[in-house]
């Protein structure tokens, strides 16, 4: 399977989970999904020639995870399992966007980034993230 096909599947999976979960489980989507996004981004940056590791990615990850835990719409183990499962998918998404210059991946990344940014405004743990 090609990188583009894998990325598309991962991206659609992430958004599919997000859309289904949004109305009933804010700890999972968007909070834990945003934590996974920044972990995956940081993972790709750590092995990429195109990005520098940004220490604020760890801060973002921790802040979104803290929101997920505080909201408590899912147990801690489910939140952590979700983040761990989404982390490699988010890394693949970032790789396809940066290295593969895949437009669909970039669109998904931008949409999820906007969701995270909007969600962050409503929570004290994430409100001051840049």
């Amino acid at each position: 399977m090609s990188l583009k096909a894998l990325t598309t599947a991962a991206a659609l999976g992430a958004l599919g989970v997000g859309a289904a979960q949004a109305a009933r489980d804010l700890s999972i989507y968007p909070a834990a999904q945003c934590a996974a996004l920044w972990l995956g981004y940081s993972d790709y940056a750590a092995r990429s020639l195109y990005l520098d590791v940004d220490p604020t990615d760890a801060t973002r990850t921790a802040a979104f995870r803290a929101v997920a835990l505080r909201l408590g719409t899912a147990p801690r183990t489910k939140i952590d399992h979700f983040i761990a499962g989404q982390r490699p998918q988010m890394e693949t998404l970032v790789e396809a966007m940066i290295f593969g210059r895949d437009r669909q991946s970039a669109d998904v990344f931008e949409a999820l980034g906007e969701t995270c940014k909007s969600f962050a405004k409503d929570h004290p743990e994430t409100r001051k993230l840049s």
Side-chain angles (χ1 to χ4, degrees):
M1 187 177 272
S2 72
L3 177 61
K4 185 173 181 175
L6 283 171
T7 302
T8 300
L12 294 177
L15 289 182
V17 167
Q21 295 286 343
R24 65 182 184 274
D25 200 343
L26 293 175
S27 287
I28 298 298
Y29 185 87
Q33 185 71 61
C34 294
L37 173 67
W38 292 113
L39 275 174
Y41 189 90
S42 182
D43 289 347
Y44 180 70
R47 64 180 180 82
S48 172
L49 300 175
Y50 302 101
L51 295 176
D52 292 325
V53 174
D54 183 347
T56 63
D57 292 342
T59 303
R60 287 184 185 98
T61 296
F64 280 107
R65 182 178 177 273
V67 172
L69 294 172
R70 180 179 51 78
L71 292 175
T73 61
R76 176 185 298 262
T77 55
K78 182 177 178 183
I79 291 166
D80 288 339
H81 181 74
F82 182 84
I83 292 169
Q86 287 291 300
R87 181 180 189 169
Q89 293 182 37
M90 297 297 99
E91 181 181 4
T92 300
L93 176 72
V94 174
E95 179 178 26
M97 177 183 72
I98 304 282
F99 183 72
R101 296 186 180 174
D102 180 60
R103 185 71 236 159
Q104 186 175 11
S105 298
D107 291 345
V108 170
F109 181 85
E110 289 173 21
L112 185 53
E114 285 300 315
T115 296
C116 295
K117 185 177 179 179
S118 177
F119 181 76
K121 292 177 185 177
D122 296 331
H123 302 279
E125 300 91 336
T126 53
R127 196 171 288 134
K128 293 186 181 185
L129 297 175
S130 56

